[in-house]
Every structure is written in structure tokens, then in C-alpha cells.
Amino acid sequence: MGENIMVIQLENVCFSYPNGASVLDSLQFKLRRGEKLGLIGPNGSGKTTFLHIIMGLLKPSSGTVRIFGKLVETEKDFRIVRQKVGFLFQNADDQLFSPTVLEDVAFGPLNLGKKPKEAHKMSLKILKDLNLEGFADRLTHKLSGGEKKLVALATVLVMHPEVLLLDEPTTGLDEDTSKRIIHILNSLNISCIIVSHEYDFLARTTDEIYSIQNGIIVYDGVSADLHSHYHRHSAGKAPHDHMGI
Amino acid sequence: MIQESFTAGHTQIHRLDPRLKILFATLYSFIVALSEGFLPLFAALVLSFLLIGLARLNIREVTKRVVLVNGLIVLFWLVLPLTFEGEALFYLGPFAVTREGLNVSARITLKSNAILLVFITLVASTSIATLGYALNRLYIPEKLVYFFILTYRYMFVIEQEYQRLVKAAKIRGFHPGNNLHTYRTYAYLIGMLFVRASARAERVHNAMLCRGFKGKFYCLREFSFSRQDLIWSAFMAIAVIGLAFLEWVKISW
């Protein structure tokens, strides 16, 4: 019953930049509770734009955005959305702006109205859950790229989001950090949209993969199928042979 | 860029409530800057040395900074005695060296060193992050405090970006010289830095909005005022009053 609750629904969403270039063209998208979707697409195809529209950071030129079944339009509507939808930015340096890790992780809970003591406790707990014990007093600008990413993930997860949007979470990370992120994502029981260039990463973290092209989102296939050979299923669901197997 | 090389210690001075340190350093600077008598100025310098000793700071690092500031002060010694109007002590060729000029130079030297040492001991021994939150607790306007903290956070990122741009220019054979091409390249470089900084500012703001930022910052840190702090504040109050007293009674030298 609860499985079919629509978490995010975009209808006929169009978006073009001030210079007139159209990025999204009558895009349709649905995310149900518990679904984990991967989204793949070339540079400049509008993946980030798509996520920013869901978060209310960009306004679509036309079309509607519904989150948890409710139409969201104004900044006020989106403020409520942002308490339930976590967004991991592509560049962790953009996300971590406080001097120390603890202060950065506690920023979200404090904004949600938690008392400093409680925010402090929540932050330490999430750092422990992500195996980042001992990071609390480290300076954010002195962390390595991988550490920054993991801490950025902690700053989002500490707010206990119901949906998680990730923009290129593994870009520029080493194998080890990627594995840790995959492990964390797989242990979470929440809906996700993960934007990535890497089929392999999406295959290991999502159930289904979509691709964005020419301003619309199209279904690519079940992640597990794509996983077995790490390339795009150009034949789609039609029966086909794999040469050499 | 900023090494924060004095924050590592664990002396009493390091453990003092940062609010107390800021308050005392500020008050002390005003008293010293306004003092005219040599007695209070020497007393202040002795006090500054005493504090440096108590904080057990790395003497080499302290000396480096003191030398840097005194390099500037040498310029005063070269110019002021010759240009200040007053009673001539002796003559250097056609120039008269005045007593008043020497006095002013000596005062500047004493004042600068006393204030510099106290700031190194008390303010530089506190991490920038802690300073920010202490300023916040001292009711410094929030905007200024966060301007300070965010500047500190992103200075490193902007410096990295600058280094990347410089390297990109270098690997394509750029040699700075005294020509239009060099000036134009640097202008582009700085322009690009501003463009990137403002684009980053927008992304950071977006990231903050996504975590529920409503225009108000909340402070996580609680400062507690301990017994130790109380004893130190008494000592600091006596020091400040003592210096003011020495200046006020004007014991002549």
C-alpha cells in the first residue's frame, strides 16, 4: 500500500537558460517511496538542472513539481521540502562552509530548530554511523577530497531526509571512498535519485537506471541487467545476443 | 596561507575563555596606544613579554613576526627624528636630530611591540573558528562574524583556484615581464578569480538553503567561564588599571 506513494512527481517541466538554450523540454518524472533511481546523461544534458528544480533552487519556465503529493511553487513551499529532501552537491567544498566538521554537520539540525546540545549529539552520532569518528574537530578545509565528500554526506544525512538526491557523488574520488559511499547508500532505507556518469556505480547503488537526453528522461533498464556488462543497453528490453558470450 | 602556528599549545593562556582574551587584548591595546609616558609603556612591554613566556609560544615564530613589524618601524627611526619639529640634540650634516623626534620614534616602537606581542599571545593562540564564535558571543554583529568565518573558510579554496590558474598559465609558457601581455594576463587571472568566487558564493548559498538555512546562524559552541578565567580576569583588570594609573599620574622621566 504505502509502496506506491508518490514522493516526487514532475509534469511537463520545461527549463531554458536566459540565453534561450532549452535544457528540459516537457519532462515527465516520477519517484515512488523506496525507489532508488540512477540518472545518466552527457555533460550539459540538464541532470543538475533537474535536481535543482526539485530542490527549488531553479524555477521551471513551465510545468509542475509535486513533492509528497503536494504542489510546490513558492520559496516557502520549498523550505518545507528541503527539510525532507537531502541534496548532496557535486562539489563538497560548496557544501562544507563551516570551519570545523562538527559545526558543519550541526548546521542543518540547528536550522531545523534543534537545541545546540541535541544538534551536537545528533552530529556525533551520524559521524559515528559513517565511521567518521574523530573527525568532529577537524578543519573542513584541511580534509582530503574523499573525506570532504563523506563529511558532506554526513551533513545531509544528519537531517534524516526521506529522499536523497546525489549529484555526481563519486566524481574524482578514489576506489576506496567510492566503495564506502556505495556501502552507505545501500544501508539506507530511503528513496534516492543518483546522478552519475558511471554505470558501474549506479548499477551497484540503484534499482533502475534512466537517462536524460534531449530534455526528457527515458527508461534505460534494470540496474542489475546493466551491471553484468557495464555498458548502456542500446537494445533496450528487446531480446538480443551478447557477442562473444 | 594562514598557519595558525600558535594555537597548538596547552598552557593556561591557551585554555582561557576566548571572550576574555579578546576583551583584554582590545582594552590593553587602547590603553597602550593612548599612553604617552615611558613608564607605562615600558611596564606594558614587560607585561607583554611575561604573557609570551606564560604561553610558551615558539620563540622563532614570534621573533619572525616581531622582526617583520620592526622592519617597518626602522623607517620611522630614519624619518621622524629628522623631520619632527623641536629642540635639536645634534646635527647630521645639514639635518637636525630632534629630541621630540627621537621620543616619538621610541614611543611608536614600544607601543607597537607591546600590542603586537599581546595579540600574538592572546588572539593568535586562539583558532580562527573559536575567535569567530567568541566574537559572536561578545555581541559583534552577526554579519561581520560570519563574514570573518566564511572568509577564513574560502580563502584557502580561492588560493587553490589562484594557484591552478597560475599553473595553467605557466605550463603554456607564460613568463611574467614588464609588458602589456603580462598585465593583461594578470588582469584576466584576477577577473577569473572574481567570477569563480561569485559563482562559488552562489553554490554555497544554494547548499545552505538545501540544509534549511533561513538567514539566521546558530552557534553550536557554548563557552563556560571557569574559576581560572575569573582569576585571570582579576589579574587583567589590575594590569589595565595599573597601566592607566601609571599614565595618569605622569611620573616624569
Side-chain angles (χ1 to χ4, degrees):
Chain A
M1 272 225 310
E3 306 229 321
N4 274 327
I5 294 175
M6 209 64 83
V7 181
I8 296 175
Q9 189 172 12
L10 270 65
E11 278 177 336
N12 302 317
V13 166
C14 299
F15 184 85
S16 43
Y17 278 104
N19 61 14
S22 165
V23 188
L24 303 180
D25 182 18
S26 243
L27 174 137
Q28 315 286 339
F29 177 82
K30 283 174 185 165
L31 180 77
R32 291 181 183 82
R33 175 151 293 167
E35 271 183 328
K36 294 189 174 186
L37 302 185
L39 186 61
I40 207 156
N43 290 333
S45 57
K47 302 184 297 274
T48 301
T49 308
F50 165 70
L51 294 181
H52 281 213
I53 284 174
I54 295 176
M55 293 308 288
L57 299 173
L58 290 173
K59 266 204 166 330
S61 4
S62 64
T64 58
V65 180
R66 282 171 194 278
I67 295 181
F68 301 110
K70 266 184 74 178
L71 193 65
V72 279
E73 282 172 323
T74 62
E75 178 67 17
K76 214 173 138 198
D77 298 337
F78 278 107
R79 268 189 199 162
I80 299 163
V81 165
R82 291 176 196 141
Q83 298 181 0
K84 296 177 185 167
V85 183
F87 185 20
L88 186 72
F89 276 67
Q90 192 169 350
N91 187 337
D93 261 321
D94 295 341
Q95 201 141 10
L96 306 175
F97 60 88
S98 307
T100 67
V101 168
L102 183 69
E103 274 146 7
D104 216 297
V105 178
F107 177 75
L110 288 172
N111 284 332
L112 295 184
K114 303 280 186 231
K115 294 264 175 303
K117 246 195 196 120
E118 204 186 343
H120 190 269
K121 219 172 96 187
M122 288 169 78
S123 307
L124 288 180
K125 184 176 181 304
I126 199 80
L127 287 174
K128 188 167 173 255
D129 290 348
L130 299 191
N131 274 324
L132 294 170
E133 277 159 313
F135 272 66
D137 291 321
R138 298 218 9 217
L139 296 175
T140 44
H141 70 86
K142 286 188 180 160
L143 301 175
S144 73
E147 290 167 344
K148 274 183 189 163
K149 201 69 185 190
L150 289 165
V151 170
L153 190 56
T155 67
V156 174
L157 292 179
V158 73
M159 297 174 76
H160 297 295
E162 293 176 38
V163 188
L164 192 56
L165 312 183
L166 301 103
D167 193 358
E168 305 272 3
T170 53
T171 308
L173 297 185
D174 59 28
E175 185 66 22
D176 197 45
T177 315
S178 291
K179 271 190 192 150
R180 279 178 80 173
I181 290 182
I182 290 170
H183 178 75
I184 293 165
L185 292 178
N186 285 336
S187 66
L188 293 172
N189 193 19
I190 55 177
S191 330
C192 292
I193 304 174
I194 306 177
V195 162
S196 179
H197 279 304
E198 296 167 49
Y199 259 110
D200 187 22
F201 176 76
L202 288 183
R204 291 206 253 167
T205 48
T206 60
D207 308 319
E208 288 177 324
I209 296 180
Y210 286 73
S211 67
I212 186 164
Q213 41 187 273
N214 306 324
I216 54 166
I217 289 179
V218 295
Y219 183 63
D220 253 22
V222 175
S223 303
D225 292 348
L226 294 155
H227 180 54
S228 53
H229 29 256
Y230 302 146
H231 66 77
R232 217 180 129 218
H233 242 201
S234 47
K237 283 186 154 178
H240 62 289
D241 285 328
H242 289 131
M243 293 203 301
I245 300 175
Chain B
M1 288 200 85
I2 294 184
Q3 305 287 338
E4 298 197 76
S5 39
F6 298 123
T7 54
H10 294 284
T11 64
Q12 278 197 25
I13 301 253
H14 284 91
R15 284 198 304 268
L16 278 185
D17 190 314
R19 291 170 298 181
L20 180 61
K21 294 204 257 187
I22 295 172
L23 271 181
F24 175 71
T26 311
L27 252 168
Y28 177 88
S29 307
F30 271 100
I31 298 271
V32 172
L34 294 173
S35 290
E36 288 295 314
F38 279 100
L39 188 61
L41 289 181
F42 269 114
L45 194 62
V46 169
L47 187 70
S48 295
F49 274 115
L50 193 77
L51 287 173
I52 285 270
L54 283 175
R56 291 205 211 109
L57 300 179
N58 182 336
I59 298 298
R60 266 189 60 167
E61 289 291 323
V62 175
T63 316
K64 256 198 235 166
R65 285 158 175 77
V66 171
V67 167
L68 195 75
V69 169
N70 284 285
L72 273 174
I73 290 173
V74 167
L75 290 178
F76 286 114
W77 281 97
L78 290 178
V79 176
L80 286 178
L82 301 177
T83 53
F84 220 80
E85 238 174 79
E87 171 198 347
L89 268 183
F90 56 90
Y91 288 88
L92 277 179
F95 303 109
V97 175
T98 65
R99 175 189 289 275
E100 282 76 5
L102 287 176
N103 279 346
V104 168
S105 307
R107 275 194 203 108
I108 290 175
T109 312
L110 289 172
K111 288 179 187 186
S112 320
N113 283 294
I115 294 175
L116 175 71
L117 289 175
V118 154
F119 261 81
I120 289 178
T121 324
L122 297 180
V123 179
S125 66
T126 319
S127 72
I128 302 231
T130 310
L131 275 183
Y133 290 108
L135 289 172
N136 182 283
R137 285 298 143 96
L138 287 171
Y139 301 101
I140 300 294
E142 220 172 40
K143 272 187 187 149
L144 288 180
V145 172
Y146 286 94
F147 180 59
F148 176 66
I149 291 181
L150 289 173
T151 303
Y152 168 66
R153 170 65 183 86
Y154 285 102
M155 205 160 55
F156 298 93
V157 176
I158 290 171
E159 199 226 351
Q160 273 173 15
E161 233 151 36
Y162 172 74
Q163 296 297 352
R164 266 204 296 276
L165 288 171
V166 167
K167 273 180 204 149
K170 260 190 197 153
I171 56 164
R172 284 189 286 154
F174 172 68
H175 295 291
N178 187 16
N179 52 42
L180 194 60
H181 174 64
T182 302
Y183 298 134
R184 192 183 300 130
T185 307
Y186 276 117
Y188 285 162
L189 226 140
I190 290 162
M192 195 49 84
L193 217 52
F194 274 110
V195 170
R196 290 195 185 178
S198 89
R200 182 177 296 276
E202 197 169 326
R203 292 199 301 273
V204 172
H205 184 238
N206 277 342
M208 289 163 77
L209 286 179
C210 285
R211 287 201 279 152
F213 180 62
K214 296 182 203 81
K216 170 139 183 60
F217 285 100
Y218 303 89
C219 184
L220 187 63
R221 271 187 86 107
E222 302 281 349
F223 294 115
S224 58
F225 203 76
S226 67
R227 228 182 101 82
Q228 198 77 275
D229 291 318
L230 199 68
I231 296 169
W232 272 90
S233 26
F235 165 72
M236 287 169 172
I238 292 169
V240 165
I241 293 168
L243 288 178
F245 179 74
L246 287 179
E247 170 64 17
W248 179 57
V249 295
K250 293 235 189 285
I251 299 166
S252 58
W253 257 43

